[in-house]
Amino acid sequence: MTPFHRPLLARVGAFALLVAAGVTGVAAPAHAADQADLALVPISSELAKGVKEAKAKPFRFEVDNTRGTVDATAVRVTVETKHLKDRKVGVVVPEGCEVDGTAFSCLLGDLAAGTTEDFGIPLFSTGGRGDAGRLIVSITSATPDPNTDDNSVEHDITVAKPGYDLTTWVQDVYADVEVDGDEAGEAALEPVKPGDTAPLDWAVFNDGSRRATGIAYGITLPAGVTFAELPEGCVEQELGGLAQAYCEDSGAVLRPGQFYTADVRVKVGAGVTQPVLRPGFLFAAGLDGAEGAPDEEPQVASDAQRKTFTEVDPLDNLAQFDVFVDLTAGPTPTPTPTEPTGTPTPTTTPTPGGGDGGGLPVTGVQVGLIGGIGAAVLLAGAALLLLSRRRKVVVVSPGDETSTD
């Protein structure tokens, strides 16, 4: 993972092409030992009408360096905005980026071989729905690249009807990760020793213009990793040799600019032999209707509710993460377990406005496009098991939502 300070303006999630119960690797083409083969992949596709500048949605793109065995150094992203329709959409240039006319460029940093990095270009709504033009985005690296054909994309932007727009974000797993919903100020983190546990720092953001009511999320861990702690009401299972959890909070309400998270810890197997265990996945979806009482069945949204709450852009509801392992030492002795004194509590937290960091907002670490089979894997068992549910309702004032025009 490349340490990167994201602006507070755009703390969002983020994001991987899932095939069956895992990821199918693409064979790396033969090239010189000092070359890295990068690829740029667009992820986000639509922006909800009514998204304000202070809560701009980072449109997600992925930089892929999984086809080679060489680190890419000094990866830089360049964004040309002149083809955007300013009556439909505006762009926020992240602090620390270099502006040249209608274009700007930002240093993403180094990207290790075998990994990917997501970044976001913050966009906001300035007018009506429809075609909002396109962004031309390209990447370069100080490391020679044998194939630059896929280092640039022209990506169409569409403004959709008002609605919620969930995006997910999850940090790579290290022993000393700070659980705070971002990676700011976290450099030189320590890998997890085999047999030890570590926190999973994750969040589901609402980057739309309307509140999301009810949250469902699933977590799939890499092989060799299991859950040590999950929120109350989650269902854990094993599928294809991978530990998975499916969770619902039917009473959660996320206003635009808020994020949702809950305490999750994972355990690295004592016998693992790889320094990086990958990939893990976080998937989220709205339930389109909040519940109040803990034991009620989920409500079926009415036609009017579906019109109001339909997800705007489901393509960026998936985030990918890796687990970094310290193979230089044996597992830490396990302390005597004690009874927990409380229950993990999910939170819905406003995202502060403004920006105090440099560069493009990093919206994940290893993230890509959602595969239908992979999403089904994450949600497997949801239709078979009755979950106990905790609710947290956030009161929304009328000023927090925009017209449904």
Side-chain angles (χ1 to χ4, degrees):
M1 178 185 69
T2 302
F4 205 88
H5 183 56
R6 299 184 300 160
L8 293 176
L9 171 68
R11 288 183 178 174
V12 299
F15 347 92
L17 180 61
L18 288 178
V19 179
V23 173
T24 299
V26 178
H31 52 75
D34 61 346
Q35 296 178 334
D37 192 358
L38 298 180
L40 181 64
V41 182
I43 299 175
S44 300
S45 62
E46 294 186 326
L47 175 73
K49 180 179 180 293
V51 171
K52 299 177 181 179
E53 181 175 358
K55 300 173 182 177
K57 172 185 176 177
F59 258 56
R60 288 166 43 185
F61 292 77
E62 177 191 77
V63 183
D64 185 295
N65 190 23
T66 62
R67 299 182 297 187
T69 58
V70 177
D71 296 351
T73 59
V75 178
R76 179 170 291 274
V77 177
T78 301
V79 181
E80 175 56 69
T81 67
K82 66 181 179 182
H83 300 293
L84 288 177
K85 298 180 180 180
D86 56 11
R87 293 186 178 181
K88 293 286 183 67
V89 66
V91 60
V92 177
V93 177
E95 188 174 332
C97 297
E98 301 173 3
V99 179
D100 182 9
T102 58
F104 62 90
S105 65
C106 312
L107 184 64
L108 187 62
D110 297 343
L111 183 57
T115 67
T116 64
E117 186 83 58
D118 269 26
F119 63 88
I121 300 171
L123 300 180
F124 59 95
S125 172
T126 60
R129 295 164 54 182
D131 175 20
R134 68 186 189 276
L135 288 170
I136 300 178
V137 185
S138 59
I139 53 173
T140 58
S141 169
T143 307
D145 191 332
N147 175 25
T148 59
D149 291 345
D150 49 9
N151 288 14
S152 181
V153 297
E154 294 191 15
H155 190 49
D156 293 334
I157 307 298
T158 301
V159 177
K161 64 183 178 182
Y164 71 83
D165 188 0
L166 300 182
T167 57
T168 54
W169 174 87
V170 62
Q171 187 171 356
D172 281 343
V173 176
Y174 288 89
D176 51 348
V177 162
E178 183 178 356
V179 181
D180 56 1
D182 66 52
E183 301 168 343
E186 298 182 61
L189 295 173
E190 296 293 329
V192 185
K193 295 179 181 179
D196 279 7
T197 66
L200 184 66
D201 191 13
W202 65 278
V204 179
F205 290 79
N206 182 6
D207 286 315
S209 56
R210 286 191 160 274
R211 61 180 179 176
T213 61
I215 299 296
Y217 58 95
I219 302 172
T220 297
L221 299 179
V225 186
T226 56
F227 290 104
E229 179 183 341
L230 281 168
E232 181 184 350
C234 292
V235 173
E236 185 178 352
Q237 64 180 9
E238 183 177 305
L239 188 62
L242 304 178
Q244 299 182 324
Y246 174 81
C247 312
E248 287 187 5
D249 190 338
S250 301
V253 177
L254 272 70
R255 295 183 295 176
Q258 289 187 323
F259 72 88
Y260 176 98
T261 191
D263 292 337
V264 175
R265 291 187 67 86
V266 299
K267 181 177 182 179
V268 174
V272 301
T273 59
Q274 298 297 320
V276 182
L277 305 176
R278 68 181 309 270
F281 295 99
L282 166 67
F283 176 80
L287 297 178
D288 291 351
E291 293 181 47
D295 295 325
E296 292 179 0
E297 290 297 315
Q299 297 178 4
V300 178
S302 66
D303 290 341
Q305 286 175 320
R306 292 185 187 281
K307 180 178 179 181
T308 300
F309 295 118
T310 299
E311 171 95 19
V312 170
D313 186 2
L315 291 180
D316 44 22
N317 289 22
L318 186 73
Q320 185 180 332
F321 62 94
D322 298 342
V323 179
F324 285 79
V325 183
D326 180 5
L327 298 178
T328 63
T332 301
T334 303
T336 303
T338 58
E339 290 297 320
T341 58
T343 301
T345 303
T347 59
T348 54
T349 308
T351 301
D356 61 356
L360 288 167
V362 173
T363 59
V365 180
Q366 338 300 348
V367 187
L369 300 175
I370 294 178
I373 297 176
V377 168
L378 286 167
L379 298 177
L384 303 177
L385 298 169
L386 178 65
L387 305 179
S388 60
R389 299 176 178 88
R390 289 175 301 128
R391 277 96 180 150
K392 182 178 180 67
V393 177
V394 178
V395 178
V396 181
S397 63
D400 291 323
E401 300 193 7
T402 59
S403 167
T404 57
D405 290 345

